[in-house]
């Protein structure tokens, strides 16, 4: 039988990451504390690390390059992992990879820059999940407008302080969130800031 669901709250400093366990039935809130901050969001099934939250499978079902209230976010096994139940922002990226050390070296000539991949690899270390296993993220609050010619941009997020997205957890999962450290383009308003993650304690 599932363990009782505990309420939890984690404040992730800008540029840092965290992972936590969430139980089916809990509500997961991801809050942009100061605004204009992307939260790279990934998840694994708790029962098997070969099942993860998949942007590709979710897009294939929703046939949309965004997520909306009512959408079911799917795993790579096509199981339902989360339902979007509230969204204050309405603009998210479900296409691009997370930032990694190579991105900063190759595209910006910067070595040793923190990255979402480093953050999430460190956060999942206690579960024995390696760097190469980190899946593509849902880039919550990322503003990558898609143009008529099907190219897309990379602009400041439209999220305001305190804006959040709320997901209903549909299976027991390990959740990872990175408050993206990218400060060399507009995607975090050039100033990474905190993300608050809150899990309610009431399984419904
Ligand atoms: Zn990032």
């Amino acid at each position: 039988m599932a363990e009782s669901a505990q309420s939890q709250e984690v404040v992730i400093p800008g540029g840092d990451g965290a992972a936590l366990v969430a139980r089916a039935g809990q509500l997961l809130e991801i809050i942009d504390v100061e605004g204009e901050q992307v939260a790279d969001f990934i998840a694994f099934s708790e029962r098997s690390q070969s099942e993860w939250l998949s942007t590709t499978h979710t897009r294939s079902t929703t046939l949309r390059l965004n997520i909306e209230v009512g959408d079911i976010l799917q795993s790579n096994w096509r199981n339902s992992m989360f339902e979007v139940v509230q969204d204050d922002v309405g603009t998210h990226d479900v296409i691009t990879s997370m930032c990694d050390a190579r991105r900063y070296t190759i595209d910006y000539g910067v070595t040793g820059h923190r990255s979402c991949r480093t953050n999430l690899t460190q956060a999942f270390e206690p579960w024995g999940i390696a760097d190469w296993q980190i899946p593509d993220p849902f880039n919550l609050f990322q503003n990558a407008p898609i143009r008529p010619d099907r190219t897309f941009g990379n602009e400041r997020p439209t999220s305001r302080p305190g804006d959040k997205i709320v997901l209903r957890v549909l299976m027991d999962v390990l959740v990872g969130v990175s408050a993206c450290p990218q400060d060399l383009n507009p995607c975090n308003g050039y100033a990474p800031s905190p993300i608050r993650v809150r899990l309610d304690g009431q399984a419904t």
Side-chain angles (χ1 to χ4, degrees), residues 122-190:
Q122 289 175 350
F124 280 105
E125 213 169 2
W127 289 279
I129 293 171
D131 170 282
W132 62 268
Q133 293 176 280
I134 301 294
D136 282 340
F138 282 80
N139 293 304
L140 301 175
F141 315 131
Q142 184 160 321
N143 185 8
I146 297 157
R147 308 183 187 104
D149 66 357
R150 306 182 82 177
T151 61
F152 56 90
N154 185 12
E155 300 180 2
R156 284 178 180 266
T158 59
S159 45
R160 304 288 201 145
D163 279 352
K164 64 185 175 184
I165 186 167
V166 184
L167 307 175
R168 187 182 309 281
V169 181
L170 301 178
M171 74 165 70
D172 293 350
V173 283
L174 312 175
V175 167
V177 178
S178 172
C180 180
Q182 174 60 274
D183 54 358
L184 303 172
N185 74 34
C187 77
N188 300 303
Y190 295 101

Side-chain angles (χ1 to χ4, degrees), residues 26-30 41 82 165-167 169 175 197-199:
Q26 287 190 289
L27 290 178
L28 173 66
E29 297 185 7
I30 298 164
F41 174 67
F82 302 94
I165 186 167
V166 184
L167 307 175
V169 181
V175 167
V197 180
R198 193 156 55 200
L199 266 174

